[in-house]
Amino acid sequence: MSFLPALLLAFALPATAEPGQPIAQRFNADPSPHYFDTKAGGKFYLYATDDASNSGKYWDSTTWRLYTSPDMKTWTDAGIPLDVKVFKWARPDAKAWAPEAVQRNGRFYFYAPVGGDTIGVAVSDRPDGGFADARTTPLVDKARDANAGDEPIDPAVFVDRDGQANLYFGTRVPKVVKLKADMVTLDGPILDVAIAGLPPLDKTEKADKANKTGRKAYGEAPFLHERNGMYYFTFSTGWPGQIVYATGTSPLGPFTYRGVVLDYLKISTNHQAILEHAGKSWLFYHDSLLPGGGSHRRSIAIAPLEYGTDGSIRQVPLGAG
Ligand code: FUB
């Protein structure tokens, strides 16, 4: 087949996901994967930062992207679920960064870092569009909320078995705050997440520098999941970063550092999510995998995640190598 028809076919066909392979032929990053049951049936939904619509020099896209899959193997580009203009209070230059989504109360909630200093929340009756601002003000606002940190970005929501939802976010110092059952109101103070074995960075210390001196630290991309009663807090150690994990007996922490999930990749960021469904576990991450790819032109990939009998996570055999 000549180059042009092959290229057209690559964009027309859904992509097949394998470890180290992009899930789509379009740049995307910051995976937020879910299995949602709707009236139309259940399927996998993957929300992403849309690196294909940025300048290639910075993460300056203003739209998010959605991919869907019936089987975690074949992914279809479902377009733009929303853009930053949904949030009327957003600064005119606000960028659309790492998103999160939750199905709750018969609705779909979309948590969006908007502009690096605020997190907004939008709501819809369907997962693939129709989102409207749920509050008309930011859910988290650096200028308004005590202890919101220097950069309230990278929201991740965990809903525990008892129904309590927590929002995790932040760079350099990980943050957690409870959400009310409406999913759009903070319920109490914003707390620092304590990780024994990883003291937080002070304001003058950069995580990437810390990495070069061998000191691991929290950088960004907080994510929480639970398995067999153990709470796993995963995150990136910086820029560049490893994906590492810590465990604890409460979703609010404290957590104890346990080890590396995914080694450094050859790009400036690393951002993970873990999806457990029907007894299987997968790590979603992003890397430079497509032609023309790089630190601002990333691609989401998926790898099986395995655990030891003691609950430890086995390091995924990918990395800068
Ligand atoms: O996509 C922009 C930023 O890059 C995200 O907020 C970080 O997690 C990093 O992946």
Side-chain angles (χ1 to χ4, degrees):
M1 190 181 289
S2 75
F3 178 71
L4 188 59
L7 189 70
L8 291 175
L9 199 58
F11 279 89
L13 285 177
T16 300
E18 289 169 21
Q21 298 299 314
I23 60 105
Q25 296 299 315
R26 181 185 173 94
F27 296 122
N28 48 38
D30 302 328
S32 173
H34 306 272
Y35 184 88
F36 289 151
D37 259 322
T38 68
K39 285 180 193 142
K43 69 181 169 181
F44 296 97
Y45 291 80
L46 172 58
Y47 299 84
T49 301
D50 187 27
D51 277 13
S53 66
N54 71 27
S55 61
K57 298 185 176 135
Y58 190 60
W59 304 291
D60 47 14
S61 169
T62 57
T63 56
W64 290 278
R65 202 83 186 172
L66 173 62
Y67 300 83
T68 62
S69 172
D71 55 9
M72 289 282 291
K73 293 179 185 144
T74 305
W75 290 88
T76 301
D77 185 342
I80 299 172
L82 75 165
D83 72 41
V84 291
K85 292 196 195 82
V86 160
F87 303 105
K88 303 279 183 263
W89 43 263
R91 287 200 314 257
D93 63 347
K95 315 292 185 283
W97 284 3
E100 169 67 302
V102 176
Q103 181 178 26
R104 189 103 195 259
N105 307 327
R107 309 191 82 189
F108 298 88
Y109 297 87
F110 187 93
Y111 299 83
V114 179
D117 54 358
T118 53
I119 295 172
V121 56
V123 65
S124 174
D125 291 331
R126 48 182 245 259
D128 58 347
F131 285 95
D133 189 354
R135 292 173 48 95
T136 70
T137 58
L139 174 64
V140 177
D141 187 339
K142 175 179 168 177
R144 182 196 67 200
D145 299 321
N147 202 34
D150 284 344
E151 202 177 18
I153 63 167
D154 292 359
V157 174
F158 171 74
V159 183
D160 211 347
R161 292 174 193 270
D162 64 2
Q164 177 62 56
N166 300 324
L167 170 70
Y168 302 81
F169 63 91
T171 56
R172 292 194 169 81
V173 179
K175 305 287 180 179
V176 62
V177 60
K178 289 182 180 177
L179 293 177
K180 291 192 173 167
D182 67 5
M183 298 300 283
V184 304
T185 313
L186 303 186
D187 191 8
I190 297 171
L191 307 170
D192 293 356
V193 177
I195 308 164
L198 288 189
L201 296 173
D202 68 37
K203 285 203 171 188
T204 60
E205 190 182 17
K206 291 194 184 307
D208 52 353
K209 196 171 170 200
N211 285 332
K212 280 174 200 150
T213 59
R215 173 163 121 63
K216 285 192 208 308
Y218 172 86
E220 61 181 358
F223 186 87
L224 194 103
H225 76 285
E226 181 265 349
R227 185 173 180 273
N228 296 338
M230 190 180 283
Y231 296 92
Y232 293 79
F233 186 64
T234 50
F235 53 92
S236 166
T237 58
W239 309 272
Q242 291 173 313
I243 299 301
V244 300
Y245 78 108
T247 59
T249 54
S250 160
L252 300 174
F255 299 99
T256 301
Y257 176 75
R258 296 283 295 272
V260 175
V261 179
L262 181 64
D263 204 356
Y264 299 103
L265 303 172
K266 289 178 176 164
I267 55 173
S268 65
T269 65
N270 208 334
H271 189 124
Q272 85 300 341
I274 290 165
L275 179 64
E276 310 233 321
H277 180 74
K280 292 186 178 164
S281 304
W282 296 275
L283 175 76
F284 286 67
Y285 64 100
H286 64 219
D287 197 356
S288 173
L289 297 171
L290 286 174
S295 288
H296 301 103
R297 289 278 165 90
R298 301 160 293 182
S299 296
I300 293 172
I302 306 168
L305 192 70
E306 294 178 357
Y307 295 84
T309 48
D310 60 352
S312 56
I313 293 179
R314 295 205 176 110
Q315 184 172 335
V316 172
L318 294 169

